[in-house]
């Protein structure tokens, strides 16, 4: 069942590089990561590629295959026509280190800027009790494997390097949403900081993050838009603002 | 200075995208359908005629609020007199269209649609956009997108009025009740599609329960949120069906009003 596969693999570093043609055998059922490993073993011994679990759960083998951000370990070779040349490049939103490996430290810096959950004072470990219906929204966001494909495809930073300072990206909007929807979190400035520090207003909800998410998290519908609406509650809706002042609604929710 | 995918430090690739699929088809279709609707709606809004054929009224002209409206078309009376602009009578449609137009313009789905297909920001995922700067919805005029909920509220009022129009269409041209025509079905379908579109809206989802932190303390709102969340999954579909439904209802009423076709009665 083997087929001969034509590949174009980007090779280079942060200074120079280009696409190199390779022809390799592919077996039935193999994924793109298998093919990259075969190329590495037989033709390009120094080809750099980041990978780990080969099961779509570690988020390491993110790259762009025929221009689309994907996990190489979850991309079946058979999904491409036999005569098609498959082009493999590193993520194009981040600085390249070598070949298919990029420097994704931008994401770790952004992660550190978001304060984690803050429990009510005096609550000891083991004491919190939450009902399933109160946490199920947040649980969807906990499926994130941090492959950063959503960050890679987001045009706000992919197409505008200068926005990286002021824009956290979809991966971190689901983190903020997760915390803002947390039934016990007492930090009340998450909406304000989402808008003013993490650039939620930069997102124009074109849903590319949702399209590429390998965990099928509905990033835009379930995290970004609800956060935008919560920001409107607090910042742009005069009636809600007035209501919150009169009835202290935030405390009631 | 190179920016975006051509920024210093990123992989040196000269193509704006390496996608090999027909990524441009979807934004092109969206562009063509939306532009066709905009042209048609503009022509009809300025036509100021052929919008009422007892008991049917075009959704573009309902509620008809001006004394310029034809007799019998004003469900809520005529609080506005005849307004002249540049020597022409202002079409009653222009008094109300800002509300449904605003609702759709600020809709989270349509934003995706027109940002991609009209503004190409981006034209498709992982396809570099042509703009050198981007500030998203942080500044005027796009910061006005945050008014979506007010247009949603207005949209609900319009849905009620268009539902009343559909109910009134259970009459014959002599205003006798107990009749049903093809036009009745057209207006009913239009109102139904609009209700689905409004109720599946992200703002609706937020309003009924999305803003809560503790669903367990609000079981009825949780049920409402769960229901709207299911509808919300199909918001895009409802957006298109309702848009085409409005256009079709208008075409139908116009055809009846101009006697191009007869509004056939079932009973």
């Amino acid at each position: 069942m083997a087929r001969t596969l034509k590949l174009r693999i980007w090779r280079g570093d942060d200074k120079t590089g280009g696409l190199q043609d390779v022809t390799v055998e592919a077996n039935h059922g193999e994924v793109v990561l298998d093919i990259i490993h075969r190329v590495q073993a037989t033709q390009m011994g120094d080809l750099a590629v980041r990978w780990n679990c080969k099961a779509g759960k570690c988020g390491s083998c993110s790259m762009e295959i025929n221009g689309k951000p994907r996990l190489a370990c979850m991309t079946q070779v058979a999904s491409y026509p036999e005569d098609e040349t498959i082009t493999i490049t590193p993520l194009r939103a981040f600085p390249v280190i070598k070949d298919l490996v990029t420097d994704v430290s931008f994401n770790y810096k952004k992660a550190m800027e978001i304060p984690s959950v803050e429990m009510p004072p005096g609550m000891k470990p083991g004491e919190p009790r939450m009902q399933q219906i109160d946490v199920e929204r947040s649980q969807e966001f906990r499926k994130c494997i941090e492959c950063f494909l959503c960050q890679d495809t987001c045009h706000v930073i992919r197409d505008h390097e200068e926005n990286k300072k002021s824009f956290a990206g979809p991966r971190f909007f689901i983190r903020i949403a997760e915390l803002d929807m947390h039934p016990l979190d007492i930090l009340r400035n998450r909406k304000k900081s989402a808008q003013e520090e993490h650039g939620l207003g930069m997102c124009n909800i074109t849903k590319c993050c949702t399209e590429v998410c390998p965990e099928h998290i509905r990033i835009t519908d379930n995290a970004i838009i609800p956060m935008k609406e919560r920001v409107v509650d607090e910042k742009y809706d005069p009636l809600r603002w007035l209501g919150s002042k009169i009835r202290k609604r935030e405390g009631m929710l | 200075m190179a920016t975006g995918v051509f920024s210093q430090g990123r992989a040196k690739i000269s193509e704006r995208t390496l996608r090999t699929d027909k990524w441009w088809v979807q934004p092109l279709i969206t562009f063509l359908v939306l532009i066709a609707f905009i042209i048609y709606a503009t022509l009809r809004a300025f036509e100021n005629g052929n919008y009422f054929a007892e008991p049917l009224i075009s959704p573009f002209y309902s509620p008809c609020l001006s004394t310029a409206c034809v007799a019998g078309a004003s469900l809520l009376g005529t609080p506005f007199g005849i307004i002249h602009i540049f020597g022409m009578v202002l079409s009653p449609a222009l008094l109300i269209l800002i509300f449904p137009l605003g609702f759709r313009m600020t809709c989270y789905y349509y934003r995706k649609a027109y940002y991609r297909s009209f503004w190409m920001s981006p034209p498709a995922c992982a396809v570099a956009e042509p703009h050198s700067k981007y500030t998203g919805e942080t500044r005027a005029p796009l910061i006005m997108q945050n008014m979506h909920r007010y247009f949603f509220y207005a949209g609900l009022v319009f849905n009620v009025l268009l539902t009343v129009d559909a109910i009134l269409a259970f009459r014959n041209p002599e205003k006798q009740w107990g009749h049903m025509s093809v036009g009745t079905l057209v207006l009913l379908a239009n109102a139904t599609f609009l209700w689905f579109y409004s109720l599946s809206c992200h703002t609706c989802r937020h309003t009924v329960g999305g803003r809560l932190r503790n669903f367990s303390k609000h079981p009825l709102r949780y049920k409402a949120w769960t229901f709207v969340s299911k509808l919300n999954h199909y918001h895009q579909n409802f957006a298109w069906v309702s848009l085409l439904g409005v256009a079709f209802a208008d075409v139908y009423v116009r055809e009846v009003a101009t006697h191009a076709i007869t509004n056939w009665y079932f009973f």
Side-chain angles (χ1 to χ4, degrees):
Chain A
M1 295 295 286
R3 66 187 257 201
T4 304
L5 203 61
K6 288 181 192 161
L7 299 178
R8 288 196 303 162
I9 300 177
W10 193 89
R11 304 218 53 198
D13 55 26
D14 61 339
K15 302 283 187 307
T16 183
L19 292 164
Q20 293 187 10
D21 292 313
V22 186
T23 303
V24 64
E25 291 296 304
N27 297 314
H28 181 72
E30 284 187 322
V31 293
V32 169
L33 186 59
D34 293 320
I35 305 307
I36 291 171
H37 282 155
R38 184 163 301 125
V39 170
Q40 200 180 38
T42 58
Q43 301 179 50
M44 296 176 174
D46 60 343
L47 175 67
V49 57
R50 187 185 279 134
W51 69 284
N52 190 11
C53 76
K54 246 192 92 177
K57 287 296 165 195
C58 73
S60 301
C61 63
S62 300
M63 57 189 71
E64 296 190 12
I65 303 169
N66 276 359
K68 287 187 178 178
R70 307 187 68 121
L71 293 180
C73 72
M74 299 301 286
T75 305
Q76 287 279 339
V77 171
S79 62
Y80 298 95
E82 297 235 351
D83 57 346
E84 184 165 344
T85 301
I86 301 176
T87 306
I88 303 168
T89 68
L91 301 178
R92 293 184 71 185
F94 303 115
V96 69
I97 296 173
K98 184 178 185 302
D99 302 336
L100 302 177
V101 178
T102 49
D103 174 5
V104 292
S105 58
F106 160 80
N107 301 290
Y108 304 125
K109 286 177 196 146
K110 292 294 173 185
M112 285 191 286
E113 292 170 9
I114 299 169
S116 59
V117 67
E118 202 166 313
M119 300 301 249
M123 191 171 268
K124 296 186 179 66
E127 279 185 359
R129 292 289 180 273
M130 293 174 280
Q131 295 198 28
Q132 178 57 32
I133 61 170
D134 290 333
V135 294
E136 61 194 2
R137 271 189 298 181
S138 298
Q139 282 177 336
E140 180 192 7
F141 309 142
R142 299 292 291 188
K143 290 194 300 178
C144 176
I145 58 172
E146 298 214 306
C147 59
F148 304 128
L149 291 180
C150 58
Q151 303 284 86
D152 177 58
T153 198
C154 180
H155 72 112
V156 180
I157 46 178
R158 182 184 177 93
D159 294 339
H160 304 278
E161 180 72 20
E162 68 279 8
N163 287 340
K164 282 185 175 173
K165 283 178 286 192
S166 52
F167 185 75
R171 191 275 167 265
F172 299 103
F173 293 144
I174 68 171
R175 173 70 175 150
I176 294 168
E178 173 200 330
L179 293 165
D180 202 58
M181 293 171 186
H182 195 294
L184 292 179
D185 181 57
I186 60 165
L187 210 60
R188 286 291 181 264
N189 68 345
R190 294 197 190 277
K191 301 170 195 62
K192 191 166 182 273
S193 65
Q195 184 76 355
E196 294 174 7
E197 294 166 33
H198 303 298
L200 184 67
M202 305 274 272
C203 169
N204 67 347
I205 47 170
T206 42
K207 289 198 173 182
C208 287
C209 49
T210 305
E211 282 186 26
V212 301
C213 179
E215 283 292 312
H216 307 294
I217 300 170
R218 293 179 65 206
I219 300 171
T220 323
D221 286 331
N222 290 350
I224 294 179
I225 294 175
M227 279 312 297
K228 276 184 174 263
E229 284 294 311
R230 284 167 179 235
V231 167
V232 175
D233 277 349
E234 212 170 82
K235 205 172 154 75
Y236 300 109
D237 183 345
L239 292 180
R240 285 290 305 173
W241 177 83
L242 197 63
S244 71
K245 293 295 169 200
I246 296 168
R247 298 174 58 192
K248 304 217 177 294
R249 296 181 70 95
E250 179 69 10
M252 290 172 61
L253 298 176
Chain B
M1 187 182 148
T3 184
V5 289
F6 307 116
S7 299
Q8 201 173 10
R10 299 198 199 179
K12 298 277 180 296
I13 298 167
S14 57
E15 290 89 342
R16 300 184 74 82
T17 183
L18 289 167
R19 282 182 64 166
T20 52
D21 58 329
K22 293 186 175 68
W23 56 264
W24 45 270
V25 170
Q26 200 172 353
L28 180 65
I29 291 172
T30 305
F31 176 82
L32 291 175
V33 174
L34 284 180
I35 207 78
F37 180 84
I38 291 166
I39 292 169
Y40 175 75
T42 306
L43 291 175
R44 278 293 282 149
F46 280 92
E47 185 181 355
N48 195 8
N50 301 318
Y51 54 83
F52 185 68
E54 188 75 60
L56 308 176
I57 183 165
S58 158
F60 287 163
Y61 284 82
S62 180
C64 206
L65 298 174
S66 156
T67 46
C69 297
V70 297
S74 300
L75 181 66
L76 300 178
T78 53
F80 297 96
I82 296 178
I83 303 168
H84 289 89
I85 292 182
F86 303 122
M88 291 166 60
V89 175
L90 184 75
S91 166
L94 298 175
L95 294 172
I96 56 166
L97 279 184
I98 181 65
F99 298 104
L101 178 71
F103 184 41
R104 287 189 191 261
M105 286 289 285
T106 59
C107 162
Y108 286 102
Y109 166 67
Y110 281 110
R111 274 144 81 175
K112 170 197 164 186
Y114 64 74
Y115 284 139
R116 281 196 188 192
S117 58
F118 281 74
W119 195 240
M120 294 194 286
S121 178
C125 304
V127 177
E129 63 176 62
H131 311 287
S132 58
K133 277 193 174 180
Y134 174 85
T135 54
E137 298 178 341
T138 57
R139 295 181 189 178
L142 293 182
I143 201 166
M144 302 298 281
Q145 305 282 26
N146 291 309
M147 287 176 64
H148 183 51
R149 61 183 56 182
Y150 286 100
F151 285 114
F152 164 69
Y153 304 145
L156 292 181
V157 174
F158 274 74
N159 288 356
V160 170
L161 294 172
L162 293 176
T163 305
V164 171
D165 286 341
I167 293 168
L168 292 175
F170 281 95
R171 302 177 305 173
N172 63 11
E174 288 74 42
K175 297 192 177 182
Q176 293 164 324
W177 286 95
H179 299 275
M180 191 171 88
S181 64
V182 175
T184 315
L185 294 181
V186 170
L187 293 194
L188 265 182
N190 178 46
T192 307
F193 295 151
L194 287 171
W195 276 114
F196 274 109
Y197 173 53
S198 298
L199 293 177
S200 63
C201 159
H202 293 83
T203 286
C204 179
R205 188 182 183 215
H206 175 74
T207 306
V208 298
R211 61 163 58 100
L212 298 173
R213 272 173 186 263
N214 291 288
F215 282 141
S216 56
K217 292 180 185 170
H218 305 269
L220 287 178
R221 290 185 72 181
Y222 174 63
K223 279 191 178 175
W225 178 83
T226 307
F227 174 70
V228 173
S229 296
K230 284 177 187 161
L231 290 181
N232 180 254
H233 208 74
Y234 304 99
H235 189 52
Q236 171 178 338
N237 304 22
F238 294 137
W240 283 113
V241 169
S242 62
L243 187 81
L244 298 176
V246 167
F248 182 74
D250 180 75
V251 168
Y252 187 83
V253 173
R254 190 178 188 282
E255 294 301 290
V256 174
T258 54
H259 306 292
I261 60 169
T262 305
N263 183 28
W264 191 76
Y265 274 81
F266 299 106
F267 52 86

